[in-house]
């Protein structure tokens, strides 16, 4: 069972993949966006949205990352899949620095680019 305020859902990627996230940064007040991540797997985006802990800050991103690396869509290569996956695995180990919204986007984009590159590399030659 997920804690209150936590949401994980798959969303179809569609035919064109223009990137890992919307370029317009969403905010929820003075503290910035809630911990969140868009994660590409198969034909879906997995959208992770996490509530902040009562203490504030972004420490709940550690919990988000623990849920991600425990999921069925975490790549078999684990942290070696991309730089972003390495950073997400680090956060899952609760190593210092849960990051900020800008870093979460960079990590998700790194994973997305590795995923799309892998898909393109597996296409038959023309």
């Amino acid at each position: 069972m997920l804690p209150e305020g936590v949401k994980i859902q798959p969303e179809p990627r569609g035919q064109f993949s223009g990137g890992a996230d919307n370029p317009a940064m969403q905010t929820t007040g003075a503290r910035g966006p809630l911990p969140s991540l868009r994660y590409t797997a198969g034909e879906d985006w997995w959208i992770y949205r996490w509530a902040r802990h009562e203490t504030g800050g972004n420490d709940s991103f550690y919990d988000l990352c623990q849920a991600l690396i425990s999921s069925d869509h975490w790549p078999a290569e684990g942290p070696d899949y991309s730089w972003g996956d390495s950073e997400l695995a680090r956060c899952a180990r609760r190593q210092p620095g849960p990051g900020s919204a800008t870093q979460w986007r960079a990590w998700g984009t790194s994973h997305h680019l590795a995923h799309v590159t892998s898909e393109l590399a597996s296409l038959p030659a023309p």
Side-chain angles (χ1 to χ4, degrees):
M1 171 145 266
L2 294 172
E4 185 177 331
V6 171
K7 185 176 180 182
I8 302 172
Q9 69 185 50
E11 183 177 287
R13 258 187 8 198
Q15 294 290 74
F16 172 74
S17 177
D21 220 328
N22 183 326
M25 187 75 72
Q26 302 295 318
T27 60
T28 58
R31 291 194 233 166
L34 293 173
S36 63
L37 181 72
R38 291 175 62 95
Y39 197 81
T40 314
E43 295 299 317
D44 294 320
W45 289 108
W46 285 88
I47 301 170
Y48 287 74
R49 293 185 182 104
W50 237 250
R52 277 200 178 82
H53 291 164
E54 289 181 14
T55 56
N58 292 329
D59 284 354
S60 61
F61 193 74
Y62 294 135
D63 301 330
L64 181 156
C65 290
Q66 287 173 341
L68 171 63
I69 70 165
S70 299
S71 73
D72 292 339
H73 49 267
W74 179 247
E77 301 86 349
D80 294 330
Y81 191 74
S82 72
W83 165 75
D85 289 291
S86 175
E87 289 299 301
L88 295 166
R90 178 189 59 76
C91 286
R93 293 188 304 271
R94 300 187 83 75
Q95 291 182 335
S100 65
T102 301
Q103 290 168 307
W104 306 332
R105 282 186 175 200
W107 300 337
T109 298
S110 169
H111 169 82
H112 179 72
L113 292 173
H115 181 80
V116 170
T117 300
S118 175
E119 284 184 334
L120 291 173
S122 70
L123 292 175

